[in-house]
Amino acid sequence: MTIQEEIVAAGLPEHVAIIMDGNGRWAQQRGLGREYGHQAGVNTVKRVVEAAGEIGLKYLTLYTFSIENWNRPQAEVRALMGLMAEAIVRETPELMRQNVRVRVIGHTTDLPEEVWRKMSGLIEQTADNRGVNLILALSYGARWEILEAAKRLARDYKEGRILNMEDITETDFAGHLTTGGIPDPDLLVRTSGEYRLSNFLLWQCAYTEFYFLDKFWPDFQKEDLYLAIHNYQNRERRFGMTGEQVVNK
Ligand code: IPE
Ligand code: IPE
Ligand code: MG
């Protein structure tokens, strides 16, 4: 059996999230400008989305641009936005062919108008697709998201849509996050040898399994995704219980 067949047979995680990191260093190592790394990173995105479709993954979330990334040099931000606008247009037919449904989570009103217009078009066009749910975290920050959810709940309470504050459940709260309706990630992968969350899915990763690898994002292959999933499949998720409880469940 190939590793691909093996991981499918073992039962896939429902949701894999990836922090795509290391584009800049990949380019710098080659004496190139950081934007070349981002360009190479787009190809990895294509590979990984295709890989997800091939194994039949339901949800794939990609950390594409953080709220903090707005603080990068303007030229780099501009290059990234340009690459995104281009990629949306160029990849739409292929995403349709692969039956991918695209969604975006994040503070999207900060995006350049052209990028958001194109992205909205892609979201709409792919809305009925039933293959991989590709969730792009764009201008995303977990603290921003959690604070927004808290504000919305406070508003609901003030305006009488919630009568008793004590009735608010974790499920209600989660439903107010940008990921409402999307299951929590089972597995989170981060490339480039950094071991941190960088303000990504803080609420949703409460019981997520983490997998870190040293490769820079442009070097990440389909096989690396399969290896990450394989590694995940050999773990025991205990959710606070004892190993015996989990085994006997
Ligand atoms: C990830 O690569 C892409 C984005 C954050 C937009 P980086 O640009 O962070 O690359 P490094 O980490 O500086 O190498
Ligand atoms: C996290 O990477 C954001 C994305 C991958 C989009 P960063 O490169 O921005 O994270 P830090 O700054 O190293 O924590
Ligand atoms: Mg980085």
Side-chain angles (χ1 to χ4, degrees):
M1 261 208 275
T2 63
I3 182 160
Q4 187 180 338
E5 289 163 346
E6 210 178 298
I7 58 169
V8 172
L12 291 171
E14 193 175 19
H15 184 176
V16 176
I18 307 183
I19 302 178
M20 313 185 283
D21 199 15
N23 293 349
R25 280 165 286 165
W26 181 90
Q28 278 160 347
Q29 268 188 355
R30 286 161 178 74
L32 302 168
R34 297 177 54 89
E35 64 276 18
Y36 290 95
H38 297 312
Q39 221 165 50
V42 175
N43 291 328
T44 307
V45 171
K46 288 171 55 176
R47 268 203 300 278
V48 168
V49 171
E50 202 178 81
E54 283 165 5
I55 55 174
L57 193 69
K58 281 212 188 110
Y59 295 90
L60 174 69
T61 297
L62 301 178
Y63 202 4
T64 308
F65 193 86
S66 73
I67 286 187
E68 289 76 19
N69 288 150
W70 290 116
N71 299 321
R72 292 196 177 187
Q74 277 313 298
E76 180 168 346
V77 172
R78 225 177 298 121
L80 274 164
M81 292 300 144
L83 274 174
M84 218 154 353
E86 262 172 46
I88 296 167
V89 176
R90 196 182 54 236
E91 299 306 327
T92 297
E94 187 53 26
L95 290 168
M96 288 303 293
R97 196 190 65 76
Q98 291 179 28
N99 206 18
V100 174
R101 178 179 179 187
V102 178
R103 309 191 201 184
V104 170
I105 55 170
H107 192 243
T108 49
T109 45
D110 280 349
L111 292 169
E113 200 257 322
E114 190 209 351
V115 173
W116 183 237
R117 187 162 30 82
K118 291 189 163 130
M119 191 56 91
S120 313
L122 180 63
I123 294 168
E124 228 170 273
Q125 207 181 328
T126 62
D128 294 328
N129 288 351
R130 288 293 170 263
V132 181
N133 283 282
L134 174 62
I135 300 142
L136 302 173
L138 245 187
S139 188
Y140 174 87
R143 286 187 172 178
W144 160 79
E145 172 187 49
I146 291 169
L147 186 60
E148 280 306 304
K151 286 186 202 165
R152 279 216 274 152
L153 281 164
R155 220 174 288 130
D156 286 351
Y157 180 69
K158 191 173 162 213
E159 293 168 8
R161 286 185 293 276
I162 294 170
L163 297 177
N164 188 350
M165 217 179 333
E166 300 308 320
D167 291 343
I168 301 172
T169 63
E170 287 188 7
T171 309
D172 294 333
F173 195 92
H176 281 71
L177 298 170
T178 59
T179 49
I182 298 168
D184 288 341
D186 301 293
L187 169 64
L188 175 100
V189 176
R190 183 169 188 153
T191 57
S192 93
E194 306 294 354
Y195 303 91
R196 53 178 174 266
L197 276 177
S198 303
N199 203 11
F200 189 47
L201 302 177
L202 296 182
W203 170 285
Q204 297 87 341
C205 283
Y207 269 103
T208 299
E209 297 292 330
F210 291 179
Y211 181 89
F212 298 99
L213 71 163
D214 285 339
K215 279 191 184 179
F216 294 137
W217 180 246
D219 291 328
F220 190 86
Q221 306 298 327
K222 286 182 177 182
E223 184 93 351
D224 292 310
L225 177 68
Y226 302 151
L227 285 171
I229 292 174
H230 189 261
N231 182 289
Y232 161 88
Q233 287 172 329
N234 288 300
R235 298 183 191 187
E236 182 178 69
R237 299 180 79 185
R238 288 192 285 276
F239 299 100
M241 290 181 282
T242 66
E244 280 164 335
Q245 282 177 300
V246 176
V247 171
N248 296 328
K249 208 166 55 168

